[in-house]
């Protein structure tokens, strides 16, 4: 064999040897296990962080909801009070209307009676 063939053969053999070593399956190392465990802890930590955020949002919604509920109840109470006040005013207004119409009708009748001249007094012979 020539020197050149030997070099080519050696180069190919080395390449195949290195390729075989690179593709060979290896058992997981302790570092691989640590990384796997860390990723599990990381996922758990992220979930706990998410739960903490949801809890804080829930607390905020509870406080906001309580304030809105109390404000709404005050508005309802005020509206009910205003409604009752309005009903009293309507009732008083209706009573005043009835009394006013009665007085107007009565005074018009009395005025008409005064406008009509009294009948002449019967003649008496004396």
């Amino acid at each position: 064999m020539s020197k050149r063939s030997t070099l080519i053969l050696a180069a190919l053999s080395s390449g195949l040897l290195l390729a075989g070593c690179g593709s060979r399956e290896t058992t997981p190392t302790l570092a691989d296990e640590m990384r796997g465990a860390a990723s599990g802890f990381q996922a758990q930590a992220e979930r706990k962080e998410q739960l903490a955020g949801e809890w804080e949002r829930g607390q905020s919604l509870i406080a906001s909801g309580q304030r809105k509920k109390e404000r709404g109840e005050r508005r309802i109470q005020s509206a009910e009070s205003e409604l009752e006040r309005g009903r009293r005013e309507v009732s008083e207004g209706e009573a005043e209307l009835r009394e006013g119409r009665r007085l107007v009708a009565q005074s018009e009748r009395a005025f008409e009676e005064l406008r009509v001249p009294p009948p002449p007094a019967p003649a008496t012979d004396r």
Side-chain angles (χ1 to χ4, degrees):
M1 255 189 185
S2 73
K3 216 175 180 184
R4 186 179 169 146
S5 302
T6 307
L7 281 174
I8 292 174
L9 186 59
L12 286 173
S13 297
S14 296
L16 287 173
L17 184 61
L18 288 173
C21 289
S23 67
R24 186 177 61 182
E25 286 188 31
T26 58
T27 57
T29 64
L30 183 57
D32 293 332
E33 282 186 49
M34 289 178 179
R35 285 185 190 94
S39 69
F41 288 132
Q42 180 65 29
Q44 190 177 26
E46 288 172 358
R47 178 65 178 142
K48 287 180 180 179
E49 180 65 28
Q50 179 186 6
L51 291 173
E54 290 174 2
W55 185 89
E56 288 172 336
R57 178 159 161 56
Q59 287 295 101
S60 176
L61 287 171
I62 288 170
S64 171
Q66 186 65 34
R67 283 189 308 272
K68 287 180 180 178
K69 180 181 176 230
E70 289 170 359
R71 187 174 48 235
E73 287 172 346
R74 283 192 308 270
R75 287 184 181 190
I76 288 171
Q77 182 67 32
S78 175
E80 287 173 346
S81 175
E82 285 295 309
L83 179 62
E84 183 57 34
R85 183 175 165 196
R87 286 181 175 151
R88 273 194 316 270
E89 287 182 6
V90 167
S91 179
E92 290 171 4
E94 288 173 346
E96 288 178 10
L97 284 169
R98 281 191 305 275
E99 178 65 10
R101 288 179 182 137
R102 185 189 66 77
L103 288 173
V104 166
Q106 180 183 351
S107 63
E108 286 175 353
R109 275 192 310 273
F111 181 74
E112 285 301 317
E113 288 173 5
L114 292 175
R115 261 184 21 184
V116 175
T124 54
D125 289 328
R126 284 198 200 181

